Amino acid sequence: MSFLSATNMTGGYGAGPDILHDLELSVDKGEIAVIVGPNGAGKSTGMKAVFGMLNLREGAVKLDGTDITGLSPQERVHKGMGFVPQVRNIFPTMSVRENLEMGAFIRDDDFEPTIEQVYELFPAVYEKRNQNAGELSGGQRQQVAVGRALMTQPKLLMLDEPTAGVSPIVMDELFDRIIEVAKTGISILMVEQNARQALEIADKGYVLVQGRNAYTDTGEALLADPEVRRTFLGG
Amino acid sequence: MTMSRTPIYFAIMACLIIGVGIFESWNNALFILNFGLISAIMALGVNLQWGYAGLFNVGVVGFVALGGLSVVLTSVSPVGEAWAAGGMRILISLLLAVGFIAGAIIGWSRIPKNLPRGLITAVWLIIGFFSFRALFDPAVAAIEAVNPAQTGFLGGLGLPVLLAWAVGGLMAAGVGWLIGKTALGLRSDYLAIATLGIGEIIIAVLKNEDWLSRGVKNVNGLPRPVPYEIDLQQSETFVGWMERLGADPVTGSTIFVKLLYAVLFLSVIILIVTLMQLALNSPWGRMMRAIRDNETAAEAMGKDVTARHLQIFVLGAAICGIAGAMMTTLDGQLTPASYQPLRFTFLVWVMVIVGGSGNNWGAVLGGMFIWFLWVEVEPISIFLVNTLTAGMDATHPIREGLLDRVAYLRPLTMGLILLLVLRFSPHGLLPEK
Amino acid sequence: MVDILNALVAFTNFVIIPASAYGAQLAIGALGVTLIYGILRFSNFAHGETMAFGTMVVLLVTGLFQSWGISLGPLPTALLALPFGILGASALVLFTDRTVYKFYRRVKAAPVMLVIVSMGVMFMMNGIIRMIVGTDDRRFADGERFIIRARDFKEMTGLSEGLALRTTQVLTIVVAIATVALLFWFLNKTRTGKSMRAYSDNEDLALLSGINPERVVMITWLVVAALATVAGTLYGLDKSFKPFVYMQLLLPIFASAIVGGLGSPIGAIAGGFVIAFSEVTITYAFKKVVTYLGPEGWRPDGLVQLLSTDYKFAVSFAILIIVLLFKPTGLFKGKSV
């Protein structure tokens, strides 16, 4: 049994039509799993389902063996999930440090060590710690956003298109940081538009088409699969 | 459902007014009816802006007051002496002010950006302000010195008073255009606060510019579109009618005059509602509602939302102005101090919400019903207090205290009604179809 | 030289001191409006009445204390009564939130809907206040009236122009500074204050971070009730308590908040002073000052007043319009939503 195992997920937003059909996602400890696929394939929706932002008609989500299907997103944060939304993922008029503090809002213990860890992981965050997060560049904001999510010391970190709208150099930098995070033993589930680059760092890749699993394999294998390359990676 | 509800509600409304006629007096009933009809027109104006375009106008009192001013400016005979003393100077100074402002607006767009245009415009406006004051102040002093106890103002044009209703509409439309041009297209809260401000300013002008409106000295004895009671009582034909009806000619005359007003007001309402219904069922009206329901989509389809909003805002303001002129005509006097925002802005809002925003018949019904309550809350409460404390001595402190406070029940009840309707029946008595 | 000093003293006495006091009152009022806007996301039309309600409780408790013979010596007794006013206003706004606003938050009503609702609340509070204290003009400032009397100042300096400093004016400034310092400490240094700012910045992310929105809203109302009571009491001490005045203060208060940038606390303070100084300067009759500064023996004919005090609303309004036209987000960038 994987650390995160979401099985048989079927459902959509509110009372709307089903977007996901029998979707499966799983991530092992310290592993990077990447969800890729064409526009409208339900990539973000699949991840939001894991985070409890969706009404699932069928299926179950288990984290570390515990069934969390019925929990709200906030409760899932308590259970060890961290989520970085694609947009509006920082507090723009608060300082970078305050952003991290807010990330630790649910913690009652001393979170200074965690802040230090985040600073170590993201030197840019440390440098800008007293600046307002809204004044930072796109790549730096994403680092702050990831840092904020790490403040709860999650066991699973979910990232919704962390590299959307940043330059290729910044993207590489961000991926490096994400690998670093995974090395500390945190499992990562990530939705990505930049499929090729994302699969390169992925231990496991999910190719979704119309809310269903189309291909699932290691990142390497998917990159090597001619069918996947032709259809989803542009040759 | 709504089709059958409308006549029932209006019938109930009619019964309420007839009830007042039977239990209190017919004079009172007609008073409520006439002011109710005027309130209904104000509600129609606000409903046009809110119900059909979602525009939030908190300056209704200002537009109503402008209508009131229009009655003075149109129908009062000109005060020749005052005109001779400073009329022309006032007009010239006002033209000068407008010229300077227009110059500033044109200048702002024409001055090359590399020049300090903020400074230039500011200096230009300051020069303009002082030249305006240099001409305006002595003229005002001269006019206000002319027989201050009786006149002390310029008077009007001496035209038939009914014409003032149209003039009131036009004046309100003009001011509405100015505000709309500035605040529409910004956030909805900003329009609300801008209208709140302009309302206050119009009232301040009416209260303080004695040369224009006599300020707090009021303008009394405004011309009427209907005969005077005293003339009726002396007319043999009228007394003859009353005798045939077996009625007292004095009471009869007051009721007759009020009925004439009611007929006039009813015709205005019918005219406005007909025009509005025609307009709103036309492609123009459908577009308005499309814009209200989804501004972004309408904008994406190439509709100029701000321009449409401006049209509807100006029309709504005009209707409030007409109502204001009608009310001052009915009162027969202009009393600037009586324009309270609570009474003319917020109460009208209660009328629209209770009646059913987006429905013209709802606005009419809401206007009449809320006006009825506004008038009747006090006597009803006094009656209740008297009944509940019947066992107490007339000078018992609780009884006296309660009776003292009955006057303040009005805002309390109106607020409560507004909140209850918003919460439990947000579409009002007659929902939009 | 003496003339210049005299002019300066006159200007300080009639413009700088009153405008500073008024500016502080507006600033604290505008802080309440801006906090509600930032957290609950609507323009609260009932804020003026909230101020009036808090002040009314202060007024009543002051009366009670006076009848018991309790006083603060040279300071107004109202300062002792202030906490009770804050409690009263807090109870009122929390009750209102429970019974009225909470529902609209739950159904995620449009902000303009909440503005209309706040209008209904304003109506009701207006009625309640009048039922309790009526509409009379009441003075409740006691203690020492002046810190510096005009006559003493003249004797002290030998100038022909006097400078009077009223206790309430100094008190206004001192209390305002203390209030603002406390508020900023709360917002910037405490966990709860930070969570309020976070909620105002990004509601969804605040929820994700485990911040309880209902708690944030409740704290906001409490802070706003305190600010409203302080602002209303300072205004009432400085001038007098008239229930209807507080509704008229709504326009300059909104203008201050918008000019500063809705949602920005610093902006609200700056806006309050901008509005107050413009209002007082433009409606002040400069005759005295000009007479001192002009050539010997010459005095201007008129009052040298730009605008009569009856049009002080027009000043707030004009500044508001200029800001809306040229910088719609305000001097300090407020919320653009």
Side-chain angles (χ1 to χ4, degrees):
Chain A
M1 166 74 68
S2 299
F3 181 67
L4 169 82
S5 104
T7 47
N8 197 17
M9 292 195 296
T10 303
Y13 293 103
D18 284 355
I19 300 171
L20 306 177
H21 307 278
D22 202 14
L23 186 69
E24 283 202 41
L25 297 167
S26 68
V27 192
D28 278 325
K29 206 135 190 73
E31 200 183 56
I32 300 179
V34 172
I35 310 175
V36 297
N39 281 334
K43 303 188 293 286
S44 291
T45 313
M47 191 154 82
K48 284 176 180 160
V50 172
F51 194 52
M53 292 164 88
L54 203 64
N55 294 338
L56 282 184
R57 286 200 297 108
E58 283 169 43
V61 183
K62 281 184 184 166
L63 188 72
D64 206 3
T66 344
D67 192 333
I68 55 166
T69 317
L71 299 186
S72 72
Q74 282 88 342
E75 289 165 327
R76 290 179 200 221
V77 173
H78 281 275
K79 292 280 176 199
M81 282 188 167
F83 180 67
V84 181
Q86 184 184 346
V87 287
R88 291 176 50 78
N89 50 20
I90 51 159
F91 300 110
T93 73
M94 301 180 83
S95 74
V96 168
R97 202 196 132 85
E98 285 173 332
N99 266 272
L100 299 183
E101 287 175 20
M102 286 301 108
F105 192 80
I106 54 168
R107 290 179 58 179
D108 296 320
D109 55 336
D110 180 24
F111 53 76
E112 272 319 306
T114 320
I115 289 195
E116 291 305 321
Q117 280 169 15
V118 171
Y119 283 164
E120 258 168 56
L121 208 52
F122 301 105
V125 170
Y126 175 71
E127 249 172 65
K128 306 275 178 185
R129 64 191 179 282
N130 293 323
Q131 231 172 316
N132 277 0
E135 297 162 4
L136 269 46
S137 71
Q140 291 167 340
R141 281 179 190 224
Q142 291 297 351
Q143 297 188 21
V144 173
V146 175
R148 187 207 61 85
L150 288 175
M151 285 306 294
T152 48
Q153 293 182 307
K155 287 172 261 175
L156 170 73
L157 182 65
M158 287 182 280
L159 304 158
D160 193 354
E161 300 201 19
T163 65
V166 302
S167 69
I169 301 168
V170 175
M171 181 174 77
D172 286 346
E173 156 90 13
L174 267 172
F175 281 157
D176 283 349
R177 301 288 133 220
I178 290 167
I179 295 170
E180 293 285 318
V181 173
K183 278 185 187 158
T184 65
I186 297 174
S187 312
I188 294 195
L189 179 63
M190 180 164 79
V191 169
E192 260 303 330
Q193 284 280 9
N194 300 308
R196 186 185 294 271
Q197 293 86 338
L199 287 175
E200 273 167 16
I201 66 160
D203 297 303
K204 191 185 277 174
Y206 291 92
V207 181
L208 262 55
V209 175
Q210 296 188 333
R212 291 172 214 274
N213 293 93
Y215 301 89
T216 306
D217 212 324
T218 62
E220 221 172 318
L222 285 173
L223 281 170
D225 186 329
E227 181 69 19
V228 173
R229 287 173 68 104
R230 196 171 51 77
T231 327
F232 302 109
L233 304 176
Chain B
M1 175 67 189
T2 37
M3 281 319 287
S4 59
R5 244 203 262 181
T6 312
I8 294 175
Y9 280 147
F10 274 98
I12 296 175
M13 193 62 235
C15 291
L16 286 175
I17 290 177
I18 292 168
V20 172
I22 294 168
F23 291 109
E24 292 179 25
S25 76
W26 288 104
N27 245 324
N28 242 353
L30 284 172
F31 166 82
I32 292 176
L33 175 68
N34 282 337
F35 273 93
L37 290 172
I38 290 172
S39 304
I41 297 178
M42 292 176 195
L44 279 170
V46 173
N47 184 40
L48 185 64
Q49 294 173 337
W50 169 247
Y52 291 95
L55 301 176
F56 192 39
N57 175 3
V58 199
V60 183
V61 64
F63 298 109
V64 171
L66 269 182
L69 180 64
S70 78
V71 177
V72 172
L73 298 187
T74 312
S75 68
V76 172
S77 339
V79 180
E81 219 179 316
W83 272 100
M88 273 305 134
R89 277 189 286 166
I90 289 252
L91 283 186
I92 293 168
S93 67
L94 290 178
L95 280 178
L96 193 74
V98 172
F100 266 99
I101 292 172
I105 294 171
I106 295 167
W108 181 259
S109 49
R110 294 278 169 83
I111 298 173
K113 288 221 166 59
N114 50 8
L115 292 173
R117 56 176 186 167
L119 190 71
I120 297 175
T121 317
V123 170
W124 166 263
L125 282 175
I126 290 169
I127 296 173
F129 180 76
F130 282 106
S131 0
F132 162 72
R133 287 287 296 267
L135 203 60
F136 180 77
D137 288 0
V140 167
I143 292 169
E144 289 176 0
V146 176
N147 192 7
Q150 250 87 58
T151 58
F153 75 137
L154 285 175
L157 299 171
L159 297 169
V161 68
L162 282 184
L163 203 63
W165 298 6
V167 175
L170 286 176
M171 279 168 57
V175 173
W177 185 82
L178 277 177
I179 308 176
K181 204 71 190 147
T182 338
L184 283 174
L186 293 168
R187 233 173 23 204
S188 57
D189 303 56
Y190 286 176
L191 179 69
I193 290 155
T195 48
L196 182 76
I198 205 80
E200 296 277 2
I201 290 175
I202 294 172
I203 307 303
V205 168
L206 250 64
K207 275 189 197 161
N208 297 301
E209 298 304 313
D210 286 15
W211 61 271
L212 183 70
S213 62
R214 289 199 84 220
V216 286
K217 292 184 287 185
N218 301 345
V219 183
N220 299 314
L222 293 171
R224 288 165 57 158
V226 294
Y228 283 88
E229 288 85 348
I230 194 85
D231 295 334
L232 286 176
Q233 288 157 23
Q234 280 157 6
S235 133
E236 271 175 34
T237 345
F238 183 78
V239 174
W241 289 354
M242 287 300 115
E243 267 169 9
R244 233 170 299 155
L245 286 169
D248 170 37
V250 177
T251 326
S253 65
T254 56
I255 287 174
F256 180 72
V257 166
K258 286 201 166 80
L259 276 176
L260 284 181
Y261 272 121
V263 170
L264 273 175
F265 295 163
L266 260 178
S267 12
V268 174
I269 286 204
I270 290 169
L271 184 73
I272 291 179
V273 172
T274 313
L275 286 177
M276 271 171 79
Q277 292 294 44
L278 283 177
L280 292 165
N281 291 324
S282 70
W284 180 84
R286 280 196 293 278
M287 180 173 65
M288 284 301 180
R289 266 172 292 180
I291 291 176
R292 180 199 58 186
D293 293 338
N294 193 338
E295 229 168 84
T296 331
E299 212 149 40
M301 281 159 63
K303 311 283 185 211
D304 186 347
V305 172
T306 310
R308 301 299 123 195
H309 278 174
L310 185 61
Q311 284 177 348
I312 222 158
F313 188 76
V314 167
L315 281 175
I319 293 177
C320 292
I322 294 172
M326 291 163 63
M327 193 182 69
T328 303
T329 311
L330 178 61
D331 273 343
Q333 58 177 349
L334 179 71
T335 45
S338 68
Y339 290 102
Q340 302 284 343
L342 216 52
R343 157 78 179 82
F344 288 103
T345 298
F346 300 114
L347 193 65
V348 176
W349 270 93
V350 179
M351 292 168 178
V352 173
I353 302 283
V354 170
S357 45
N359 183 327
N360 286 327
W361 294 113
V364 174
L365 181 71
M368 302 203 57
F369 179 62
I370 292 300
W371 175 254
F372 171 83
L373 282 183
W374 181 257
V375 175
E376 291 295 323
V377 158
E378 214 174 309
I380 291 172
S381 321
I382 292 177
F383 174 76
L384 278 179
V385 170
N386 279 331
T387 322
L388 288 174
T389 59
M392 291 180 194
D393 192 41
T395 53
H396 193 286
I398 291 182
R399 183 175 187 162
E400 280 197 324
L402 283 173
L403 286 176
D404 274 351
R405 279 158 175 75
V406 154
Y408 310 123
L409 266 179
R410 273 180 173 178
L412 194 70
T413 333
M414 291 306 142
L416 189 64
I417 291 174
L418 181 66
L419 290 180
L420 288 177
V421 169
L422 279 173
R423 173 77 166 76
F424 297 106
S425 170
H427 300 292
L429 290 173
L430 298 175
E432 181 184 357
K433 272 156 262 169
Chain C
M1 188 57 209
V2 174
D3 275 352
I4 294 179
L5 275 182
N6 271 322
L8 209 63
V9 169
F11 188 71
T12 312
N13 192 24
F14 293 108
V15 177
I16 295 181
I17 294 176
S20 304
Y22 181 44
Q25 291 149 10
L26 284 187
I28 303 180
L31 273 174
V33 166
T34 229
L35 279 181
I36 292 286
Y37 190 86
I39 305 282
L40 289 113
R41 302 175 210 286
F42 71 97
S43 306
N44 182 12
F45 271 72
H47 194 72
E49 301 304 322
T50 312
M51 284 166 67
F53 187 87
T55 314
M56 176 193 75
V57 177
V58 170
L59 176 104
L60 296 176
V61 175
T62 303
L64 201 64
F65 282 168
Q66 283 166 341
S67 72
W68 289 344
I70 302 175
S71 85
L72 268 181
L75 293 173
T77 318
L79 276 186
L80 272 183
L82 196 57
F84 296 92
I86 292 174
L87 276 180
S90 301
L92 178 76
V93 293
L94 286 186
F95 176 76
T96 317
D97 187 67
R98 244 331 123 67
T99 50
V100 183
Y101 295 119
K102 194 175 179 177
F103 167 77
Y104 297 94
R105 276 203 300 284
R106 197 162 51 76
V107 300
K108 298 204 186 316
V112 71
M113 207 60 206
L114 278 159
V115 178
I116 297 179
V117 169
S118 79
M119 224 164 64
V121 171
M122 178 190 81
F123 243 126
M124 285 197 71
M125 286 187 181
N126 188 288
I128 292 171
I129 292 165
R130 280 154 204 237
M131 284 184 128
I132 299 177
V133 287
T135 52
D136 295 342
D137 192 352
R138 290 160 193 256
R139 295 197 158 272
F140 59 109
D142 52 7
E144 205 63 52
R145 239 173 89 66
F146 288 99
I147 291 179
I148 306 175
R149 280 168 206 280
R151 189 151 34 86
D152 297 344
F153 182 84
K154 283 189 213 167
E155 278 167 15
M156 224 159 58
T157 57
L159 291 172
S160 57
E161 196 57 39
L163 184 90
L165 198 56
R166 280 188 285 132
T167 318
T168 54
Q169 291 169 330
V170 177
L171 197 69
T172 296
I173 304 283
V174 172
V175 173
I177 291 173
T179 309
V180 169
L182 199 66
L183 178 72
F184 277 78
W185 170 80
F186 172 72
L187 287 178
N188 291 319
K189 298 289 173 208
T190 66
R191 186 163 168 270
T192 310
K194 284 179 190 175
S195 73
M196 273 172 65
R197 282 166 57 218
Y199 186 84
S200 159
D201 248 16
N202 188 340
E203 193 177 330
D204 296 330
L205 198 61
L207 294 179
L208 259 182
S209 307
I211 293 169
N212 177 357
E214 284 307 308
R215 202 178 112 86
V216 167
V217 166
M218 189 186 82
I219 306 265
T220 306
W221 278 118
L222 291 178
V223 172
V224 166
L227 289 170
T229 310
V230 170
T233 305
L234 291 178
Y235 187 85
L237 279 175
D238 197 18
K239 315 245 161 52
S240 68
F241 177 80
K242 272 181 278 186
F244 74 87
V245 164
Y246 290 91
M247 203 164 88
Q248 294 181 342
L249 275 181
L250 212 52
L251 182 63
I253 284 178
F254 271 131
S256 308
I258 292 177
V259 165
L262 264 180
S264 154
I266 298 257
I269 296 168
F273 283 99
V274 167
I275 296 286
F277 269 86
S278 323
E279 212 173 80
V280 176
T281 313
I282 290 176
T283 55
Y284 172 61
F286 278 90
K287 180 171 185 165
K288 236 178 191 171
V289 174
V290 174
T291 310
Y292 281 122
L293 292 181
E296 200 62 44
W298 173 86
R299 49 175 49 240
D301 299 328
L303 291 168
V304 203
Q305 184 182 24
L306 290 174
L307 216 56
S308 115
T309 43
D310 301 310
Y311 290 114
K312 56 180 184 197
F313 302 110
V315 180
S316 332
F317 183 73
I319 296 172
L320 181 71
I321 293 293
I322 291 170
V323 169
L324 285 189
L325 285 179
F326 296 102
K327 211 165 183 319
T329 49
L331 301 176
F332 294 79
K333 208 168 179 169
K335 299 210 164 295
S336 50
V337 187

